[in-house]
Amino acid sequence: MSTGKDSSGSGGTGNGGIGIGRIHCVLPEEQVKVLELPEVELLGHDEARFVAESGVRTVGVLPDAEIGELAARACRELLAAAPSHPNLLMMVAPRSPDVLLGSDVCRVQAEVGLESSFAFTIDGLGCTGSSAAWALARDLLVADPGRASVLITHGSRPTGVDRVRYPVTVIGDGAYAMTMVRGGRPVLRGHRMETDGSFHDLFRVDYKQAPWYEWREVCESPDRYRFEMAMHSRMRLGRMVDEVLAEAGLDRSQVAAAVMQNVTASAFEFYETLLGIPIHPVCRTHLADYGHLGAMDVVLNLDRLMTSGDVSTGDHVLVLNNSPVAAWAVTLWEM
């Protein structure tokens, strides 16, 4: 299943804004009930309760697909629908690369036929990588008037065999490609992002000592994730939202909608209470149907929001994003 929205040429050229040209999402047709995942039978009491209360009903599965293959497919299908040759190809790094020492992004470049595009990867930011990517793409277009577009892509797959990522979420499969262009819609009107290096090793996989099918993600301290990181997110995202809106001369009552990454149902409630801004229902729908798609979440949610009919030209939308690396981002878009 795939979706796309072409917003190139739909306004913004006159004011010199840089925004989204097109989004294309690849989603699986095959979906598996979370409670039927093989690892669920082996979970302890706390882990099983977490899965049952996560808000994820099913996860999409793309059997035997590699990250580079998924990302390349998303890019090919996007460019087939809206032919162009981007100046830059930017890949938001997956949880684990297809190859060590090789280059997943250069594989995508070769398979899509983007010989003259410079290809590179944004890594180390987890889910927040997509927000960093579109902000960097905007800056790169501003920096060089000779550049016309930046192509961004990402593929979501679990790190090893298990899809349950306790105490965070349940992982599904998917991929996206999107372009940032001059005169695109929605226009990127404001952005803030921050990192905190003290959380850099909160999650890890001991991949050097075991074959891939034995890889298990370990959280060094579930309590630190639940409480200390939640406290940081509360303080940082609340302040960052205020900063982005103040820079645009807006207040929270002027935000038409907000979307964020899909982690758990309780996370939506947490941020709605924190910000006083409702999280659009499309996020809950995607969480329930597809699980957590990593850095793809916010792109899929923004794309579906734009086609939902719930926002109009000129409306302002907030995209919140954070990851347990830890990294936080807030982006303001004008539809």
Side-chain angles (χ1 to χ4, degrees), residues 70-72 74-75 89-93 108 151-155 175-178:
L70 288 176
C75 291
L89 169 63
M90 193 184 305
M91 187 172 187
V92 180
V108 174
L151 176 61
I152 304 170
T153 190
H154 171 75
Y176 80 82
M178 64 179 287

Side-chain angles (χ1 to χ4, degrees), residues 68-255:
E69 178 186 353
L70 288 176
R73 174 186 165 187
C75 291
R76 282 196 303 270
E77 292 177 358
L78 180 146
L79 295 175
S84 67
H85 200 98
N87 305 100
L88 302 167
L89 169 63
M90 193 184 305
M91 187 172 187
V92 180
R95 297 174 183 85
S96 58
D98 289 338
V99 293
L100 294 174
L101 290 182
S103 174
D104 291 344
V105 69
C106 286
R107 172 188 177 177
V108 174
Q109 179 188 31
E111 292 192 6
V112 181
L114 301 175
E115 292 83 0
S116 63
S117 300
F118 180 75
F120 65 101
T121 298
I122 290 183
D123 200 358
L125 297 176
C127 310
T128 313
S130 287
S131 298
W134 60 44
L136 178 58
R138 188 269 308 267
D139 292 348
L140 289 169
L141 291 173
V142 169
D144 185 349
R147 297 184 181 120
S149 69
V150 179
L151 176 61
I152 304 170
T153 190
H154 171 75
S156 171
R157 291 273 291 163
T159 302
V161 175
D162 294 350
R163 293 182 178 274
V164 175
R165 187 185 178 198
Y166 176 79
V168 184
T169 190
V170 185
I171 305 297
D173 297 346
Y176 80 82
M178 64 179 287
T179 51
M180 291 289 290
V181 300
R182 303 177 191 280
R185 285 284 184 177
V187 180
L188 200 162
R189 290 300 187 201
H191 184 80
R192 289 287 188 281
M193 55 188 174
E194 297 180 2
T195 57
D196 185 339
S198 67
F199 292 94
H200 73 279
D201 59 351
L202 183 58
F203 292 86
R204 63 181 178 84
V205 175
D206 190 6
Y207 73 94
K208 292 185 178 181
Q209 304 300 320
W212 71 270
Y213 51 82
E214 294 181 2
W215 288 358
R216 298 293 182 272
E217 182 173 310
V218 176
C219 178
E220 293 297 323
S221 174
D223 285 343
R224 190 176 182 216
Y225 170 75
R226 291 191 191 99
F227 301 112
E228 186 177 347
M229 182 164 289
M231 180 187 68
H232 276 268
S233 295
R234 179 190 298 273
M235 293 187 301
R236 290 175 186 261
L237 284 175
R239 171 177 50 78
M240 293 163 70
V241 165
D242 288 338
E243 291 173 352
V244 166
L245 293 177
E247 187 176 85
L250 303 172
D251 58 41
R252 296 188 187 192
S253 67
Q254 294 171 285
V255 175

Side-chain angles (χ1 to χ4, degrees), residues 57-77:
R57 294 194 306 263
T58 60
V59 289
V61 177
L62 289 163
D64 304 321
E66 292 188 326
I67 294 295
E69 178 186 353
L70 288 176
R73 174 186 165 187
C75 291
R76 282 196 303 270
E77 292 177 358

Side-chain angles (χ1 to χ4, degrees), residues 286-310:
H286 291 154
L287 174 70
D289 293 346
Y290 300 110
H292 176 53
L293 302 175
M296 178 178 173
D297 279 345
V298 291
V299 178
L300 174 63
N301 292 342
L302 181 60
D303 182 46
R304 294 298 174 82
L305 173 65
M306 290 190 292
T307 60
S308 69
D310 293 340

